[in-house]
């Protein structure tokens, strides 16, 4: 007897398991960094909860719709390097001004998707310079992992050991394992809890954006650049390598629109995923490449569930002791820092300019109220231009 058509077309269990693993890794791996970004920008616990809720909605809804519409597995994520850039901010901006920077970054992404010439120009940005800025932003967080060792020796060494063991044996689960170990230790200490007044469900708190040229230069433009170069472009490459020629401009435009809609609620930006996309775009996720887009829809659905409970999930990290939060964040950024360091030294002609970009960004240099990420780019592009002029002379 032939099975009903619906049963034959039902997604395999691997589609659900792959989407679930990608959700756990994508959310759990760097939500601590998102919380730190909100805290650095002066957001209160309610606004941070709104930030996480808005990000999850901006990942889930557009990702599911794009996967269904384009019939390819479109996997979105929040901008991890963007969150690191925000968490490193020492400019003392208000939350409304930060939201204004998010809007500017999203608008630049929309323009990149709308105007093909801008997309081509963005694609020609030397990857070494963008990677160097990213490495300079990430380095202080990884260094902080070791600065807290005198205060939290046993915990930090234990978390590093967990990270190293899992990276060796089950690399995909390294960060969830670190989180699980950290929460287990906090529970034994009686330090696991939620901030007072934390709601059961996620919520949205709109903020009227305030625009400031210093925030636009220090946060808005670097946030756009690092999200495009370190997230969207690699995300397109993942789709390409999986056999899905991506409509690049349409996808970049879509992430920009999603970011713009979510920005007034505190979302700093969403983009195409790379690592979690690799989990959802391969044959292990769905044996039928033509129906693998279903995994993207399921992944989006899981993020909607996470958005529903975003308030208590974010609250766990808001209430986490600062040293533990720093340890978890530092371990989460080791892999991105490793990749950025490899990229900044890969191109010999750009290597010195990239190192200067890295050093200027990591130094925390601030001039005229403008942060080090911008000045790192200025130094790098100036060194690159000077080198090219001298070679032509």
């Amino acid at each position: 007897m032939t099975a009903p058509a619906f049963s034959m077309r039902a997604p395999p269990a691997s589609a659900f398991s792959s989407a679930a693993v990608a959700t756990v890794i994508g959310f759990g791996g760097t939500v601590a960094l998102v919380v730190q970004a909100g805290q650095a920008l002066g957001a209160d616990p309610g606004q941070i909860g709104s930030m996480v809720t808005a990000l999850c909605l901006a990942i889930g809804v557009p990702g599911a719709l794009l996967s269904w519409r384009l019939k390819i597995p479109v996997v979105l994520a929040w901008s991890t390097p963007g969150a690191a850039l925000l968490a490193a901010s020492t400019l003392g901006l208000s939350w409304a001004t930060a939201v204004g920077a998010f809007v500017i970054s999203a608008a630049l992404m929309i323009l990149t998707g709308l105007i093909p010439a801008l997309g081509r120009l963005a694609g020609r940005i030397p990857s070494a310079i963008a990677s160097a800025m990213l490495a300079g932003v990430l380095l202080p967080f990884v260094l902080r992992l070791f600065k807290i060792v005198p205060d939290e020796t046993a915990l930090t060494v234990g978390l590093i050991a967990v990270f190293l063991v899992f990276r060796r044996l089950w690399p995909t689960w390294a960060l969830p394992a670190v989180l699980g170990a950290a929460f287990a230790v906090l529970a034994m200490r009686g330090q696991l809890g939620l901030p007072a007044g934390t709601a059961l469900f996620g919520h949205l708190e709109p903020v009227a954006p305030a625009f400031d040229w210093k925030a636009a230069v220090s946060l808005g433009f670097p946030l756009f650049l690092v999200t495009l170069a370190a997230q969207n472009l690699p995300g397109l490459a993942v789709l390409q390598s999986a056999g899905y020629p991506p409509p690049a401009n349409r996808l970049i435009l879509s992430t920009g629109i999603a970011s713009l809609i979510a920005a007034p609620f505190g979302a700093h930006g969403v983009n195409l995923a790379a690592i979690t996309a690799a989990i959802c775009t391969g044959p292990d996720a769905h044996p039928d490449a033509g129906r693998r887009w279903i995994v993207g829809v399921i992944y989006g659905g899981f993020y909607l569930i996470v958005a529903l409970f975003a308030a208590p999930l974010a609250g766990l990290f808001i209430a986490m002791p600062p040293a533990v939060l720093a340890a978890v964040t530092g371990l989460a950024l080791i892999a991105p820092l490793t990749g950025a360091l490899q990229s900044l030294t890969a191109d010999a002609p750009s290597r010195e300019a990239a190192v200067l970009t890295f050093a200027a960004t990591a130094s925390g240099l601030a001039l005229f109220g403008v942060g080090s990420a911008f000045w790192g780019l200025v130094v790098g592009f100036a060194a690159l231009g000077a080198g090219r002029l001298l070679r032509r002379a």
Side-chain angles (χ1 to χ4, degrees):
M1 182 176 179
T2 304
F6 177 79
S7 298
M8 293 177 63
R9 306 290 284 180
S14 60
F16 291 92
S17 61
S18 295
V21 168
T23 303
V24 170
I25 293 169
F27 182 87
T30 54
V31 67
L33 182 60
V34 173
V35 169
Q36 278 195 295
Q39 291 172 336
L41 295 171
D44 61 38
Q47 290 167 332
I48 293 174
S50 174
M51 182 184 192
V52 176
T53 303
L55 285 169
C56 291
L57 290 173
I59 290 169
V61 176
L65 289 176
L66 286 168
S67 297
W68 170 73
R69 182 70 176 174
L70 300 176
K71 295 299 185 284
I72 62 176
V74 178
V75 178
L76 303 184
W78 57 56
S79 175
T80 297
L85 174 70
L86 302 175
S89 173
T90 57
L91 300 177
L93 302 175
S94 68
W95 181 235
T97 304
V99 169
F102 304 165
V103 170
I104 291 170
S105 174
L108 290 172
M109 196 68 73
I110 290 172
L111 287 176
T112 303
L114 281 175
I115 304 174
L118 281 180
R120 290 192 294 270
L121 180 63
R124 295 179 61 184
I125 295 171
S127 61
I129 300 300
S131 296
M133 182 188 73
L134 175 59
V137 168
L138 299 180
L139 180 64
F141 294 95
V142 178
L143 293 178
R144 202 172 300 156
L145 168 67
F146 298 96
K147 289 180 179 179
I148 64 171
V149 169
D151 299 322
E152 287 282 1
T153 305
L155 175 66
T156 307
V157 172
L159 292 181
I160 293 174
V162 170
F163 176 80
L164 292 175
V165 169
F166 273 80
R167 286 291 291 178
R168 176 71 176 174
L169 301 177
W170 306 282
T172 301
W173 290 98
L175 294 179
V178 167
L179 273 183
F183 282 129
V185 171
L186 291 177
M188 287 188 291
R189 290 179 177 180
Q191 294 178 307
L192 189 62
L194 295 172
T198 300
L200 176 60
F201 300 109
H203 64 283
L204 297 173
E205 293 186 12
V207 174
F211 297 99
D212 177 82
W213 74 269
K214 293 179 182 178
V217 171
S218 297
L219 292 184
F221 178 71
L223 177 59
F224 154 73
L225 183 59
V226 78
T227 300
L228 177 68
Q231 296 268 204
N232 271 335
L233 297 183
L236 292 172
V238 169
L239 284 171
Q240 183 76 41
S241 65
Y244 300 100
N249 285 85
R250 185 172 179 179
L251 290 176
I252 290 174
L253 173 62
S254 298
T255 62
I257 292 173
S259 298
L260 183 64
I261 293 172
F265 304 101
H268 67 282
V270 297
N271 45 249
L272 295 171
I275 296 174
T276 49
I279 298 172
C280 297
T281 55
D284 289 342
H286 198 301
D288 184 353
R291 291 185 57 77
R292 207 168 291 156
W293 59 270
I294 294 174
V295 185
V297 175
I298 296 170
Y299 172 87
F302 279 135
Y303 258 95
L304 295 182
I305 296 173
V306 174
L308 182 63
F309 299 101
L313 290 172
L316 289 172
F317 292 90
I318 294 171
M320 187 178 282
V324 181
L325 188 62
V328 171
T329 302
L331 289 169
L333 295 179
I334 287 177
L337 176 60
T338 302
L341 290 172
Q342 289 175 337
S343 296
L344 78 86
T345 57
D347 182 34
S350 305
R351 193 169 293 154
E352 288 186 355
V355 170
L356 287 170
T357 302
F358 169 63
T361 305
S363 71
L365 170 69
L367 290 174
F368 312 113
V370 177
S372 63
F374 174 78
W375 294 117
L377 290 174
V378 170
V379 169
F381 282 122
L384 203 60
R388 289 175 178 173
L389 286 174
L390 290 173
R391 283 196 295 271
R392 291 173 184 172

